[in-house]
Amino acid sequence: MDLFKKSGSSFLSGEDVSRELGISRQALWKHIEKLREVGYMIEAVPHLGYKLIQVPDKMLASEIKWNLKTKVIGTEIHFYESLGSTNTVAYELAEQGAREGAVVIADEQTKGKGRLGRSWISPAEGGIYLSCILRPDILPNEVSKIALVAAVGAVKAVRKFSSLDALIKWPNDILISDRKAAGILTELKGESDRVDFIILGIGINVNTPRKALPAGGTSLKEESKSSADFSRVELVKILLKELEAEYVKFKTNGFAAVRSELKSYSCALGRYVSVTASGGTKLSGEAVDINENGELVLKLDDGSRKAFLSGDVTLVR
Ligand code: BT5
C-alpha cells in the first residue's frame, strides 16, 4: 500500500511491484484481491499495471498509521469493526501490560459508555470511537485534568480539520453551536496514592446524521452543512497529533501549560450555568473560572464562589 501511495495517481507496473516486494506476480494479484476485499478500489489495466483509485474510510490501523506524525500516541493501534466499548478493551489491554500510547479504535460500538453509567450512541461508520492508554506519573486526584487536557487536544483537532467553531463545555464535551459533537470519558486504575493507567476514551460524531443521535447531539457533517462525508481517518490522525501535543505540554510543564487555552475555548465561562454535582446537588451561577485544579468556579447568586471538580453543566443563558 505504501508503494501505491507514493506513486500518487500514476500506474504501478505489476512487474516492478513484484520485484520490489520480492514476490511472484501471482502472489501480488492475491494481495491486490485482499486489499479490494477490505475496501480499497484498485484499477488493473493490462500493460499499464495497477492504480489506487480510492482508499476506504475504515479505521484500518495501516491507514491511520500512514504519515502519522506522533511519537507515542497511536504507535500501536488495535482496530475492530465492531466492539462493545473501546474503553473496556483498552482497559483489558492495559491490564495485560500494553504500553502508553496504545490505541483501540472501532467503526461501531454496541455498548458505548458515557460517564456515570450513561451510554454513548456509536453507530457504524458515522463517528470516531477510540480509547488511548496513558500511564502518566500523577496522583489519582489529578486524573480529571487529563480529560481537560484531552478536551483541548480534541477541540483543536476538530477546528483544524473542519474550521467549525467548536468549543469545550467543561468538563468533557465538545459543542458546536451549543450542540454536543463529542464526549470524553476517562477511566482509571490505581490506588489511593498511585495511578497504574488511565483509559482516555473519545467519541466524535463525524458523519453521523442528527436523527441517529440523541436530542442535543450533532455531527461535524451536520454542522458544516456539507453533502460530502468527512474522512474519519484524516481526523483521527490530526486528533492523535493534537492529543499528544497537549499531553506532552501537561507532562512537561503541568496543568498551567494548557489551562489558558482550555479557558479560551470554554463555552461556559462568562455564562450563567447550572452545575449538577455527582451527588445530585444542583447549583446555579455565573461560570467565572477554571482554576489551577481544573475545577469550574461558579459565582453564585449570593456572591459566594463554589468550585466543582466534576459534574454536569447546563448552559442557562
Ligand atoms: C460522555 O459522557 O460524553 C463520554 C462519551 C465518551 C465516548 C467514548 S467513545 C470511545 C470510548 N469508548 C466508550 O465506550 N466510550 C468512550 P456523558 O457526559 O455522560 O454524556 C453521555 C450523554 O450524552 C448521554 O446520556 C446522551 O444524553 C448523550 N449522548 C449519547 N451519545 C451521544 C452522541 N453520540 N452524541 C451526542 N450526545 C450523545
Side-chain angles (χ1 to χ4, degrees):
M1 196 36 64
D2 288 5
L3 287 175
F4 272 121
K5 288 187 175 163
K6 281 182 198 145
S7 76
S9 57
S10 41
F11 276 95
L12 281 175
S13 101
E15 201 177 325
D16 291 350
V17 180
S18 310
R19 198 177 327 106
E20 182 129 358
L21 297 178
I23 56 175
S24 68
R25 298 287 293 272
Q26 189 68 20
L28 175 64
W29 175 249
K30 280 198 182 139
H31 191 62
I32 300 275
E33 281 304 293
K34 278 207 187 114
L35 289 171
R36 283 175 169 161
E37 274 164 28
V38 290
Y40 290 91
M41 268 172 65
I42 296 170
E43 195 181 351
V45 176
H47 309 300
L48 281 175
Y50 301 104
K51 184 159 95 175
L52 181 62
I53 307 288
Q54 201 183 319
V55 171
D57 189 37
K58 274 194 185 171
M59 297 297 182
L60 299 169
S62 55
E63 281 306 322
I64 295 169
K65 279 189 170 171
W66 168 256
N67 262 342
L68 179 67
K69 295 187 175 64
T70 56
K71 291 198 171 71
V72 177
I73 294 184
T75 45
E76 183 181 322
I77 292 178
H78 302 261
F79 164 74
Y80 297 83
E81 301 239 339
S82 180
L83 269 189
S85 156
T86 55
N87 260 39
T88 307
V89 172
Y91 197 100
E92 286 162 10
L93 286 171
E95 282 193 311
Q96 291 156 22
R99 62 174 185 237
E100 165 148 291
V103 165
V104 176
I105 191 156
D107 262 343
E108 169 193 55
Q109 294 186 121
T110 52
K111 288 194 182 121
K113 296 194 283 188
R115 294 177 302 150
L116 308 167
R118 294 185 286 234
S119 55
W120 185 255
I121 307 296
S122 316
E125 291 168 19
I128 289 173
Y129 318 110
L130 71 79
S131 300
C132 180
I133 297 170
L134 299 175
R135 297 182 181 276
D137 190 10
I138 57 171
L139 292 169
N141 64 8
E142 287 193 289
V143 168
S144 59
K145 291 178 188 163
I146 294 284
L148 299 173
V149 168
V152 175
V155 86
K156 283 181 159 183
V158 168
R159 283 171 165 259
K160 279 191 180 164
F161 176 72
S162 68
S163 308
L164 291 164
D165 288 330
L167 291 170
I168 299 167
K169 188 174 78 147
W170 181 95
N172 70 317
D173 293 352
I174 305 292
L175 304 191
I176 302 170
S177 306
D178 282 357
R179 291 173 155 270
K180 184 160 173 170
I184 295 171
L185 169 70
T186 46
E187 293 181 284
L188 153 81
K189 182 170 182 203
E191 281 157 36
S192 57
D193 57 347
R194 177 171 64 91
V195 169
D196 275 355
F197 59 77
I198 292 168
I199 304 301
L200 167 65
I202 303 183
I204 306 181
N205 305 321
V206 184
N207 298 316
T208 326
R210 213 180 256 179
K211 60 179 185 322
L213 295 169
T218 193
S219 68
L220 307 194
K221 185 174 173 183
E222 290 280 5
E223 292 302 319
S224 68
K225 314 269 184 290
S226 133
S227 55
D229 276 358
F230 283 109
S231 159
R232 293 172 310 148
V233 168
E234 282 312 311
L235 177 53
V236 168
K237 287 185 198 197
I238 299 174
L239 176 65
L240 297 180
K241 187 161 173 286
E242 296 297 327
L243 285 177
E244 180 163 289
E246 298 310 316
Y247 183 57
V248 168
K249 269 191 224 165
F250 169 70
K251 285 216 297 188
T252 322
N253 298 314
F255 183 61
V258 284
R259 183 172 157 231
S260 57
E261 275 196 301
L262 169 67
K263 286 173 68 171
S264 74
Y265 288 124
S266 284
C267 61
L269 291 183
R271 286 179 73 170
Y272 193 86
V273 303
S274 292
V275 181
T276 309
S278 4
T281 30
K282 187 172 170 183
L283 287 172
S284 301
E286 187 193 341
V288 289
D289 195 13
I290 296 171
N291 68 19
E292 48 291 334
N293 299 324
E295 296 165 319
L296 182 70
V297 182
L298 290 201
K299 189 173 150 209
L300 305 179
D301 295 342
D302 64 4
S304 65
R305 288 176 182 238
K306 166 98 181 138
F308 295 84
L309 187 57
S310 65
D312 283 302
V313 171
T314 310
L315 302 167
V316 179
R317 53 179 189 260

